[in-house]
Amino acid sequence: MEIHTRQLRYFVAVAEELSFTRAAQRLHVAQQGLSAQIRQLEKALDLVLFTRTTRSVELTAAGAALLDGVRSALTTLEMAVERARVAQRRESDRLVLGYLEGAALTLTEPILAAFREQHPGVTVDMRQFTYEEPAAGLENGTVDVAFVRLPFRAAGIRFEPLFAEPLVALVPAAHRLAELPEVRVRDLLDEPLLGAATTDPEWNAFWELHDHRDGRPAPVVSRSSSLLEELHKVAVGVGVVLTVASARWMPFPRVRVLPVADAPPNEVTVGWRVDHETPLVRSFVNIARRVRDANPDLVAGLEQPDLDDCTLPQHL
């Protein structure tokens, strides 16, 4: 049956007014159009709903039997629509932010502070992800936006760059490279390597230096889900790991932090799904961009950190 809610509302109005004229006035529609809609409803239902004379309109038995059900159906529909609107309002008052370990480093707090200032009624729900999910919830849509590090598989995801962080190698304190002021990529190629606990090929290719290996596989001896797990493994001599300069903020016994002079930096970005670019998401991205541009010294400190102390012994 092709039945429209408009026809049902018209039917209820006529049934309650028992007058096409009064019902049309109540609905603010033309009486001719109202009569046409009732005839279409009767045809669709194959029922006669009203008996009409020049002086009166009465419900038929079929019309009376239908009236209570139609009223109930319209009320149920209105309640469902209102619940949907409430859900949408609640959704618009909540932003789910995914992030990997470290988030956007020292840009994180000013970005969130600026967002809360502009959207005081919005709850920011922060969810941390491990190396197992480099997309930090963007790939499966469990977050609205995320602080992520490139590269990873990114179908349907857009990015706003924040800064590019230099890379370092973490090696055991007794390692042959430990006393050097810095290392180069070639110094690491034959070392037993700690990889990430992900199957993302782009992520693994970057952190395992695939572009420098002439097609040879990386000698990955173990995979980890977090920087802390990597630090424990490096400390006991399982292998070495390539990571970012901010790892120096987690001093760890028996681990040395060595700048990698010729490694490409790692790009930290805000990511979001193209098919979920809500006004709140756009606002968050714009605020992140504005905070980045307003803090050039902070960005420079992240992109060109003072690594002079990286070769000092690390202690608790």
Side-chain angles (χ1 to χ4, degrees):
M1 294 182 294
E2 282 289 332
I3 300 174
H4 301 285
T5 56
R6 180 178 65 251
Q7 295 170 332
L8 297 178
R9 295 183 191 282
Y10 286 6
F11 163 67
V12 171
V14 175
E16 291 177 346
E17 298 292 342
L18 293 178
S19 165
F20 280 84
T21 301
R22 290 193 298 272
Q25 292 171 345
R26 168 177 154 182
L27 295 166
H28 304 289
V29 298
Q31 182 175 334
Q32 183 177 2
L34 173 63
S35 298
Q37 289 294 323
I38 295 297
R39 285 195 297 271
Q40 290 177 18
L41 176 62
E42 290 178 318
K43 182 177 180 182
L45 297 175
D46 194 22
L47 293 172
V48 176
L49 302 176
F50 298 99
T51 56
R52 307 162 176 87
T53 69
T54 56
R55 295 185 178 183
S56 66
V57 175
E58 298 290 339
L59 275 169
T60 64
L66 183 65
L67 181 58
D68 286 343
V70 168
R71 282 175 173 151
S72 177
L74 290 174
T75 299
T76 300
L77 178 60
E78 289 169 356
M79 292 173 60
V81 170
E82 182 57 29
R83 284 195 299 269
R85 286 173 176 159
V86 170
Q88 179 171 288
R89 285 196 297 272
R90 288 175 179 170
E91 188 70 21
S92 67
D93 289 344
R94 175 172 170 266
L95 183 82
V96 184
L97 171 64
Y99 65 98
L100 298 179
E101 206 165 27
L105 301 182
T106 51
L107 276 180
T108 306
E109 191 279 331
I111 289 173
L112 291 179
F115 182 80
R116 291 186 181 108
E117 182 178 359
Q118 186 165 324
H119 300 279
V122 174
T123 299
V124 179
D125 181 3
M126 297 183 68
R127 299 183 185 178
Q128 182 172 345
F129 292 80
T130 69
Y131 295 162
E132 297 175 54
E133 296 185 68
L138 290 174
E139 191 171 23
N140 56 20
T142 57
V143 303
D144 299 310
V145 292
F147 292 127
V148 288
R149 294 180 176 273
L150 300 182
F152 58 85
R153 287 176 300 193
I157 301 174
R158 294 182 63 189
F159 303 98
E160 177 65 33
L162 296 178
F163 58 90
E165 189 178 9
L167 302 191
V168 298
L170 304 182
V171 304
H175 194 276
R176 64 179 181 84
L177 299 173
E179 299 306 318
L180 295 178
E182 65 180 22
V183 295
R184 304 185 73 82
V185 168
R186 65 172 179 267
D187 299 322
L188 304 173
L189 295 180
D190 294 326
E191 293 294 326
L193 193 66
L194 303 179
T198 181
T199 58
D200 190 299
E202 295 186 39
W203 179 274
N204 287 336
F206 179 84
W207 295 105
E208 295 170 13
L209 301 169
H210 287 197
D211 288 347
H212 303 269
R213 296 185 181 277
D214 297 324
R216 293 178 299 157
V220 176
V221 294
S222 179
R223 295 194 175 275
S224 306
S225 297
S226 68
L227 175 60
L228 184 59
E229 184 179 348
E230 289 174 335
L231 283 164
H232 278 288
K233 291 178 180 179
V234 172
V236 298
V238 175
V240 304
V241 68
L242 189 70
T243 186
V244 287
S246 52
R248 73 194 190 282
W249 295 343
M250 292 182 64
F252 204 84
R254 301 182 303 281
V255 173
R256 299 292 295 276
V257 183
L258 303 175
V260 185
D262 56 346
N266 177 244
E267 191 169 24
V268 177
T269 72
V270 177
W272 70 99
R273 292 191 63 86
V274 175
D275 60 3
H276 188 60
E277 192 172 324
T278 65
L280 210 55
V281 167
R282 285 195 294 272
S283 179
F284 186 90
V285 174
N286 289 335
I287 289 170
R289 183 187 301 115
R290 187 168 67 247
V291 170
R292 175 202 64 195
D293 294 344
N295 293 274
D297 292 341
L298 191 57
V299 172
L302 293 170
E303 296 191 327
Q304 300 172 350
D306 181 5
L307 299 178
D308 290 343
D309 62 346
C310 281
T311 56
L312 295 176
Q314 305 291 305
H315 302 288
L316 286 175

